[in-house]
């Protein structure tokens, strides 16, 4: 690029033409804007991380970086903007650099107007909004009221660091080269099945007609893709197309050389992982139903109830669309093309959007009974293809690992999973990174039990396994271990580097709290005396929690917020915060304290009164100094309105001490008290009153329950109090913020005084930019203690899943003379003795355990059964324990026979 320039006056028309030309080139505009923001952010981070909390970036350096990056002769900014037809004359007259400088200055002004940057001092320096927030955090004090001069309030922060990282998402959009149109994987599947053999279940049910059935299914899926998805979902990411093709072909054909028993789907948070495995399983279910294959096709397992509910609603939307395309939205459960059920302890509270209500009525479906859902707004609106009936054999069953453990052993699981000739085809573990430590050991063993049941119910059917996560590095190795298969049998489905977009950045602020200490604060007249003469004092304690409380409300009131419509395509407000604490008790305490500070209006003590033309909010604001001779009647501005006070020209000790949050100027967004809610035990409640709240909150504080699957579109900020338990979990937590592509979310991490907290502060890059080894998930799937428990449970699985015993009689007391109460223990003893060799084979096949380990489990189970025949109270009541228990249950008053026995034993003791 030529460095020549002509110093000619720049008229408004030139500025307008240059700006319109630049912004019309969307890719160039976005690239230049992001690079300028990166330059400023990195310069500020360099200073702050070195201890200079007033760090800035000089306009000269930012412009030079812009020229170096974007003003080379072959750079898109030059070829597509400066040398475009609209600007070529101006460039010839003024030179490349002057026109580039015009555009650069306009872009800086836009970024300042939008709140991304702020001018500092003489407008020759800029600071990022994140850096300004970090400055407030670094200087934050424990302000409890306006009665005490802030200089006596204890500082709560020892150090602050900031970092930023690129946000990457899979490339999507029908006009993008790396994206895939919907028809591409459908066409490739039709080509592949020409020379393939059908999977056993389709050979058994369809015979030579299976290819035509596949073709019909794909045609329906094509219609679903074209008309049934949201408008913005106009293509598949390349990895989603591969997933659809590979998972579907693996499931409907006999395993060839390219087939895999399992697939693991990994992509960034919000990158469409769910659709990558849902679409092929939906297609398989449609094909199976056309083939007359009844029963459950896929079991989707999630680590949290909240996530189950979220995904139940998501899958309901897709299934509703497909059923509607087939004219079956009013069909019964048995007649609907696709059905789904949810099974966990809190399923009764599940709600769904009503598909019958129009856009003007926000209808909500509630469970009427286990058979169907009914609309709250119109009782004639009924949905029968979704159910909470634990015994319903739906195409899709959504559950937790704990509930699946129980379904393997009870009558509901027998009815839902094993009552049809063909067992489930798919087992899906979503958010698989959660399954580590003891939770991972348990789930790995539940998987082995479920896999054994799938294979025994139909030995020729090949089950397929799917794992999914945004935060796992050792994907194939971990997937192989948790499913109990060879790593070579696992396919990794993930976007390649050239299939991802960089869509801006995400920001991190790491706050190291001071060590807890007792502080004596002067009150009353003692504030004006030397410390040795203080007579009126008040003790206070500055703790790590004190720091988190002050940071929590400072975060909300000073972060950059947006309202729907502020930028093109923005349909949701970006103004909420989700916080994480790894203790239920701390969730309640922190939430209560933050809500209390909001009700007391402590944030107003840092209000920039001079800027706002107000009095009395910030008692320390030198308002008169900065408003001077201005007249409030005419709303004249203060000296510090357009940029923060300049320490060399108009020094403000209150701003310099961090007691004026200069960015807190928007009366609607920043200067209103926030509503704080807490989420625990599956319930969201107001942090102050404890009343249940729906969506009426500004800051929500939770345990790990909302770590995955909570995708609120308005969350732009997240925080973590104390060191996270692991890096993958932290990555999931910060991923709850900024779900839209153009968002720039911010995460604040407040670290305390523990050695672990100190370690993470000094190695904060492990959280902001984790290396591969930090995202490895450990799993001890063969822990012998946990395995022994599940081997015992697997004995019960055997009776429940196989047809060799009468499971109802075994577990529910179905006697030949009529129904009993409780298990038929003599029948259990006889069946255990009769089937012990088969049970031994069952355990060996499921767990590949040693003969000694199996012997030990069988012996302990046998001893337990024998103990049930022992006398409940020798010498007083010779009734075998199992009969005594049955009698107590048969009376429907469990305390009756027990109380009688206790009375008898007491009488013997007295005698």
């Amino acid at each position: 690029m030529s460095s020549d320039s002509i110093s000619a006056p720049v008229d408004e028309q030139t500025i307008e033409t240059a700006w319109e030309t630049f912004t019309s080139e969307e890719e160039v505009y976005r690239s230049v804007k992001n690079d300028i923001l990166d330059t400023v952010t990195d310069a500020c981070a360099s200073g702050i991380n070195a201890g200079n909390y007033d760090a800035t970036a000089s306009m000269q350096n930012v412009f030079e970086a812009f020229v170096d990056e974007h003003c080379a002769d072959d750079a898109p900014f030059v070829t597509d903007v400066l040398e475009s037809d609209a600007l070529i004359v101006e460039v010839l007259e003024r030179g490349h650099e002057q026109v580039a400088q015009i555009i650069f200055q306009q872009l800086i002004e836009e970024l300042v107007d939008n709140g991304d940057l702020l001018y500092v001092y003489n407008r020759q320096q800029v600071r990022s909004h994140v850096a300004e927030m970090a400055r407030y955090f670094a200087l934050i004090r424990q302000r409890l009221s306006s009665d005490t001069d802030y200089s006596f309030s204890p500082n709560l922060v020892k150090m602050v660091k900031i970092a930023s990282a690129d946000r990457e998402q899979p490339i999507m959009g029908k006009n993008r080269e790396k994206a895939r149109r919907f028809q591409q994987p459908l066409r490739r599947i039709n080509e592949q099945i020409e020379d393939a053999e059908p999977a056993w279940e389709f050979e058994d049910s369809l015979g030579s007609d299976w290819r035509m059935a596949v073709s019909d299914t794909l045609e329906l899926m094509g219609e679903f893709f074209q008309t049934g998805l949201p408008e913005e979902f106009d293509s598949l990411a390349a990895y989603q197309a591969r997933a659809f093709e590979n998972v579907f072909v693996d499931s409907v054909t006999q395993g060839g050389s390219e087939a895999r028993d399992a697939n693991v789907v990994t992509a960034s948070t919000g990158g469409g992982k769910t659709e990558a495995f849902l679409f092929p399983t939906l297609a398989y279910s449609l094909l199976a139903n056309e083939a007359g294959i009844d029963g459950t096709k896929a079991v989707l397992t999630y680590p949290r109830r909240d996530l189950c509910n979220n995904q139940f609603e998501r899958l309901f939307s897709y299934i509703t669309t497909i059923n509607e395309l087939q004219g079956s939205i009013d069909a019964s459960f048995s007649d609907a093309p696709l059905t789904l059920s949810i099974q966990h302890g809190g399923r009764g509270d599940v709600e769904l959007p009503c598909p019958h209500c129009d856009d003007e009525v926000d209808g909500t479906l509630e469970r009427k009974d286990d058979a169907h859902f009914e609309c709250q707004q119109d009782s004639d609106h009924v949905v029968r293809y979704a159910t909470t009936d634990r015994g319903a054999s739906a195409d899709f069953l959504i559950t937790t690992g704990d509930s699946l453990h129980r379904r393997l052993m009870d009558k509901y699981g027998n009815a839902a999973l094993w009552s049809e000739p063909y067992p489930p085809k798919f087992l899906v573990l979503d958010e698989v990174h959660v399954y580590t430590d003891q939770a991972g050991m348990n789930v790995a063993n539940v998987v082995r039990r479920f896999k054994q049941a799938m294979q025994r119910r139909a030995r020729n059917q090949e089950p397929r396994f799917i794992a999914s996560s945004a935060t796992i590095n050792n994907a194939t190795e971990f997937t192989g271990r948790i499913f109990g298969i060879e790593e070579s049998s696992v396919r990794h489905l993930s976007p390649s580097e050239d299939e991802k977009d960089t869509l801006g950045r995400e920001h991190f602020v790491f706050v190291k709290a001071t060590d807890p200490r007792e502080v004596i604060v002067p009150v009353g007249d003692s504030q004006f005396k030397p410390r040795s003469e203080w007579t009126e004092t008040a003790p206070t304690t500055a703790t790590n929690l004190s720091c988190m409380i002050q940071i929590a409300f400072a975060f909300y009131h000073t972060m950059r917020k947006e309202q729907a419509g502020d930028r093109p395509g923005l349909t949701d407000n970006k103004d909420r915060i989700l916080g994480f604490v790894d203790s239920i008790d701390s969730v309640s305490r922190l939430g209560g304290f933050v809500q209390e500070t909001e009700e007391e209006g402590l944030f107003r003590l840092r209000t920039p009164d001079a800027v706002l033309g107000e009095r009395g909010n910030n008692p320390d604001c030198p308002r008169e100094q900065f408003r001077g001779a201005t007249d409030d009647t005419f709303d004249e501005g203060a000296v510090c309105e357009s940029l923060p006070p300049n320490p060399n020209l108009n020094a403000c000790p209150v701003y310099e001490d961090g007691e004026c949050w200069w960015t807190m100027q928007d009366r609607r967004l920043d200067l209103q008290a926030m509503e704080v809610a807490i989420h625990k035990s599956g319930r969201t409640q107001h942090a102050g009153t404890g009343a249940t709240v729906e969506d009426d909150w500004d800051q929500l504080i939770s345990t790990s329950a909302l770590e995955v699957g909570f995708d609120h579109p308005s969350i732009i900020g997240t925080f973590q109090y104390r060191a996270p338990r692991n890096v993958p979990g932290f990555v999931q937590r910060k991923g709850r913020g900024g779900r839209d592509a153009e968002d720039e979310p911010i995460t604040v991490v407040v670290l305390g005084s523990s050695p672990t907290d100190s370690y993470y502060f000094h190695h904060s890059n492990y959280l902001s930019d984790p290396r591969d080894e930090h995202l490895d998930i450990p799993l001890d799937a063969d822990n012998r203690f946990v395995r022994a428990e599940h081997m015992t449970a697997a004995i019960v699985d055997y009776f429940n899943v196989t047809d060799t015993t009468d499971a109802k009689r075994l577990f529910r007391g179905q006697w030949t003379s009529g129904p009993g109460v409780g298990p038929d223990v003599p029948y259990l003893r006889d069946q255990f003795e009769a089937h012990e060799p088969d049970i031994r084979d069952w355990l060996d096949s499921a767990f590949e355990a040693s003969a000694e380990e199996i012997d030990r489990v069988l012996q302990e189970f046998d001893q337990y059964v024998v103990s049930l025949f022992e006398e409940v109270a020798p010498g007083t009541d010779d009734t075998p324990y199992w009969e005594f228990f049955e009698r107590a249950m048969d009376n429907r008053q469990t305390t009756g026979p027990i109380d009688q026995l206790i009375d008898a034993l007491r009488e013997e003791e007295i005698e």
Side-chain angles (χ1 to χ4, degrees), residues 125-407:
Q125 307 284 326
V126 285
R127 179 182 293 152
S128 70
H129 194 111
V130 175
E132 181 74 0
M133 285 179 58
R135 183 182 178 279
Y136 303 150
F137 294 171
L139 300 171
I140 209 159
R141 299 168 183 262
Q142 183 166 297
R143 298 291 299 276
L144 301 178
S145 72
S146 60
D147 296 336
T148 302
D149 188 291
Y150 73 75
S151 62
F152 295 111
S153 299
N155 292 95
L156 296 174
V157 174
K158 185 181 292 185
M159 291 178 285
V160 167
K161 296 199 296 185
I162 68 173
S164 297
D166 290 338
R167 298 183 73 211
E168 293 184 330
Q169 290 283 16
I171 295 173
M172 296 185 69
K174 62 183 180 182
N175 296 323
R176 302 296 302 277
E177 180 183 354
K178 291 295 182 179
R180 297 290 182 268
R181 292 184 178 271
F182 294 123
Q183 292 302 318
Q184 288 180 281
L186 304 181
R187 186 166 53 250
R188 285 177 56 85
I189 291 171
N190 274 317
E191 292 171 356
Q192 290 186 57
I193 66 170
E194 286 300 320
D195 300 320
E197 295 298 321
W200 168 78
E201 62 268 30
F202 296 119
E203 183 177 32
D204 187 51
S205 58
L206 289 171
S208 60
D209 294 332
W210 80 282
R211 288 188 181 85
M212 181 60 69
V214 170
S215 180
D216 292 343
T217 298
L218 295 179
E219 184 177 348
L220 177 58
M221 287 301 296
E223 186 178 357
F224 165 68
F225 287 149
Q226 295 294 339
T227 65
L229 296 178
E231 184 177 345
E232 63 273 13
F233 204 153
D234 61 0
S235 69
L236 295 173
Y239 88 99
Q240 290 175 322
R242 287 195 298 273
F244 187 94
E245 178 185 335
N246 288 319
V247 174
F248 183 74
V249 170
D250 282 356
S251 66
V252 302
T253 62
Q254 292 184 20
S257 60
E258 299 299 320
R260 296 293 184 271
D261 294 330
N263 288 275
V264 55
V265 182
T266 65
S268 56
T269 301
K273 299 180 300 298
T274 299
E275 285 71 22
F277 65 77
L278 270 188
F279 289 164
T281 52
L282 283 166
Y284 175 89
S285 298
L286 286 170
L287 177 63
N289 288 337
E290 185 174 344
I293 296 175
D294 295 326
T296 300
K297 316 302 188 301
V299 176
L300 312 182
T301 307
Y302 297 91
R304 311 262 194 271
R305 289 182 180 181
D306 292 310
L307 186 53
C308 281
N309 297 348
N310 176 279
Q311 297 303 308
F312 185 61
E313 180 177 341
R314 189 174 193 167
L315 182 55
F316 173 78
S317 173
Y318 289 140
I319 285 180
T320 295
T321 300
I322 292 173
N323 287 348
E324 193 169 17
L325 287 173
Q326 296 186 277
S328 301
I329 194 170
D330 294 316
S332 66
F333 186 83
S334 59
D335 293 334
L338 290 176
T339 57
L340 72 160
S341 71
I342 185 168
Q343 296 190 17
H344 63 65
R347 67 194 183 283
D349 298 327
V350 172
E351 295 182 345
L352 295 168
C354 179
H356 298 286
C357 289
D358 56 34
D359 294 338
E360 296 180 1
V361 179
D362 189 16
T364 300
L365 296 173
E366 286 188 335
R367 185 180 74 158
K368 185 65 176 177
D369 51 41
D370 271 346
H372 68 277
F373 283 83
E374 186 177 289
C375 182
Q376 288 178 305
Q377 283 67 33
D378 188 337
S379 59
D380 290 335
H381 293 175
V382 175
V383 167
R384 301 187 184 281
Y385 51 85
T387 182
T388 60
D389 181 1
R390 288 176 292 179
S393 187
D395 293 307
F396 287 84
L397 188 158
I398 292 179
T399 189
T400 63
D402 288 341
S403 292
L404 184 59
H405 159 68
R406 290 190 288 273
R407 293 298 86 82

Side-chain angles (χ1 to χ4, degrees), residues 30-147:
R30 187 176 67 178
S31 175
V32 173
K33 183 181 74 170
N34 288 341
D35 283 345
I36 287 177
L37 286 172
D38 291 352
T39 300
V40 176
T41 301
D42 291 345
C44 292
S46 179
I48 288 172
N49 296 345
N52 175 18
Y53 300 128
D54 289 309
T56 63
S58 75
M59 290 281 284
Q60 177 69 27
N61 290 342
V62 177
F63 180 69
E64 289 175 356
F66 157 68
V67 170
D68 290 344
E69 182 68 25
H70 293 284
C71 293
D73 291 341
D74 58 348
F77 176 74
V78 173
T79 58
D80 299 346
V81 178
L82 297 184
E83 296 178 355
S84 65
D85 292 342
L87 286 181
I88 189 64
V89 173
E90 292 293 337
V91 169
L92 291 173
E93 289 181 359
R94 301 175 182 275
H96 284 74
E97 188 164 328
Q98 187 176 9
V99 178
Q101 193 164 13
I102 291 170
I103 294 173
F104 171 81
Q105 188 61 50
Q106 287 298 112
L107 182 55
I108 293 293
E109 293 290 339
E110 179 184 74
L111 294 173
V112 171
D113 289 342
N114 290 343
D116 295 287
L117 303 178
L118 58 151
Y119 283 120
V120 183
Y121 307 149
N122 55 2
R123 292 180 179 263
Q124 295 305 306
Q125 307 284 326
V126 285
R127 179 182 293 152
S128 70
H129 194 111
V130 175
E132 181 74 0
M133 285 179 58
R135 183 182 178 279
Y136 303 150
F137 294 171
L139 300 171
I140 209 159
R141 299 168 183 262
Q142 183 166 297
R143 298 291 299 276
L144 301 178
S145 72
S146 60
D147 296 336

Side-chain angles (χ1 to χ4, degrees), residues 694-723:
E694 297 297 332
D695 199 41
D696 187 20
W697 51 268
D698 300 299
Q699 187 173 98
L700 177 61
I701 303 174
S702 174
T703 60
S704 59
L706 300 184
E707 180 179 299
V708 290
F710 185 67
D711 301 332
H712 197 294
S714 292
I715 295 174
I716 196 64
T718 58
F719 71 73
Q720 167 77 39
Y721 176 48
R722 308 299 297 266

Side-chain angles (χ1 to χ4, degrees), residues 825 828-829 832 860-869:
V825 176
L828 171 62
R829 178 190 58 192
F832 178 70
E860 290 177 355
F861 189 87
D862 182 60
Q863 290 170 6
Y864 167 72
V865 174
V866 170
S867 71
L868 297 177
F869 288 86

